[in-house]
Amino acid sequence: MVVWTDFERTTIQDIFSKINYAVVGQAAFSRCLIVYPWTQRYFGGFGNLYNAAAITSNPRVASHGKVIMEALEKAVKDMDNIKATYAELSALHSEKLQVDPDNFMLLGDCLTIVVASQLGKAFTAEVHAAFQKFLAVVVSSLRKQYY
Amino acid sequence: MSLTEKDKAAVKALWAKISKSVDAIGAEALGRMLLVYPQTKTYFSHWPDLTPGSAPVVSHGKQIMGGVTEAVSKIDNLRGGLLELSELHAFKLRVDPSNFKILAQTIMVVVAAMFPNDFTPEAHVAFDKFLAAVALGLSERYR
């Protein structure tokens, strides 16, 4: 059972209320494809991913980035039941999409960097720690249904 | 994943923008690492104060970035150029090399927060590769 402090709850709600899902989603997801190019293996149908410029301007990358943020919002809205919230998504990633779960934190790291660049000084060490804890719980829940 | 000439140019370009702030970046990155990844505290049990901004954290953060600065100057030969530092980490400090990735991520988060316009995706991939190469250089003498 994950125990969240009041500070952590407020911080996570606050971050997600401040960020633009379309902007942050596109930025984080495209960064993941650029910085960790092997992650492109899961997106063969997305068209032109040949270089950073192509990835950054790819409309399917942009729309999928938003999808990811909307899925993260489900966890934000019910922080005490993240494992249950992601049971279906976990099975999907394992059985249908067959994504190596080590990739989850690669996207998490890119998201952290994008949020840090958006919030600047407001992304204090304590806020960073809360965000990292949130991501760790999300990643752990997404790994739960893997066999 | 060796550094291409393009990577080295990108790292040097980014470094030119951030080099005046390396001490601050180091202090911030180390302090954050201890808070965000608490398992790393095990290497600093001899310090009286592990909180961000404390004297040992600030001074050691500066020391670490001194090492990264040295690595930038030796970017054409990280394996050979970091042998002394590698021996220090291998035989004296005995830091598990998986922690190098953790500190690298923290450094990049700090750079992104302080220099959002300069830490573009292109700069990010080059810097990530560079820090990974530094980690490899530091691991050289481990076994």
Side-chain angles (χ1 to χ4, degrees):
Chain A
M1 209 9 236
V2 185
V3 179
W4 301 101
T5 64
D6 289 338
F7 173 79
E8 286 163 349
R9 281 181 202 276
T10 323
T11 297
I12 300 304
Q13 306 296 323
D14 196 48
I15 291 174
F16 276 81
S17 72
K18 282 198 175 102
I19 59 179
N20 179 313
Y21 290 2
V23 170
V24 169
Q26 187 275 340
F29 182 46
S30 60
R31 249 181 220 247
C32 187
L33 297 170
I34 292 167
V35 179
Y36 306 110
W38 52 94
T39 57
Q40 292 169 25
R41 80 187 299 280
Y42 303 109
F43 303 100
F46 272 38
N48 188 354
L49 299 176
Y50 300 139
N51 52 41
I55 292 169
T56 309
S57 56
N58 185 311
R60 293 206 55 186
V61 169
S63 75
H64 196 67
K66 190 162 175 234
V67 163
I68 292 170
M69 295 310 293
E70 283 160 356
L72 282 172
E73 190 189 52
K74 293 200 174 97
V76 175
K77 288 204 156 116
D78 193 2
M79 285 173 69
D80 293 311
N81 289 297
I82 295 178
K83 197 166 81 182
T85 303
Y86 285 148
E88 245 184 81
L89 267 174
S90 177
L92 174 78
H93 282 75
S94 162
E95 290 162 31
K96 187 160 173 258
L97 306 175
Q98 290 172 326
V99 175
D100 182 340
D102 287 346
N103 289 305
F104 296 149
M105 206 33 109
L106 296 181
L107 178 57
D109 285 347
C110 287
L111 181 58
T112 306
I113 278 174
V114 169
V115 169
S117 38
Q118 293 258 314
L119 300 183
K121 280 206 174 82
F123 198 66
T124 63
E126 289 77 11
V127 167
H128 182 177
F131 195 65
Q132 184 64 28
K133 181 173 166 179
F134 173 73
L135 288 177
V137 173
V138 165
V139 167
S140 163
S141 305
L142 276 175
R143 294 183 85 120
K144 268 288 182 272
Q145 301 301 319
Y146 274 69
Y147 60 90
Chain B
M1 293 198 255
S2 18
L3 295 170
T4 63
E5 289 311 312
K6 189 172 162 220
D7 293 325
K8 293 179 194 176
V11 169
K12 287 180 189 164
L14 178 68
W15 198 257
K17 305 239 166 76
I18 72 178
S19 56
K20 283 196 203 77
S21 311
V22 281
D23 290 351
I25 292 171
E28 186 63 35
L30 181 62
R32 268 175 201 256
M33 184 188 80
L34 297 168
L35 190 65
V36 178
Y37 305 95
Q39 68 271 26
T40 57
K41 292 196 287 188
T42 56
Y43 291 99
F44 303 99
S45 49
H46 54 288
W47 283 357
D49 189 350
L50 290 165
T51 53
S54 72
V57 169
V58 168
S59 124
H60 198 66
K62 194 172 158 185
Q63 194 171 12
I64 291 173
M65 288 312 276
V68 178
T69 308
E70 190 189 331
V72 175
S73 73
K74 293 182 173 168
I75 200 167
D76 291 314
N77 179 21
L78 288 169
R79 270 245 199 101
L82 298 176
L83 287 177
E84 245 183 79
L85 272 172
S86 179
E87 284 178 7
L88 174 73
H89 285 76
F91 303 126
K92 189 157 175 255
L93 305 175
R94 284 185 256 183
V95 176
D96 189 308
S98 57
N99 292 294
F100 299 147
K101 243 198 287 187
I102 291 175
L103 182 57
Q105 170 66 9
T106 326
I107 290 172
M108 289 192 290
V109 170
V110 171
V111 170
M114 287 172 73
F115 302 91
N117 297 324
D118 297 309
F119 201 60
T120 61
E122 290 83 349
H124 181 173
V125 59
F127 200 51
D128 188 291
K129 281 178 79 173
F130 167 69
L131 291 175
V134 171
L136 261 178
L138 283 177
S139 314
E140 183 68 24
R141 285 285 196 235
Y142 268 64
R143 56 178 176 175

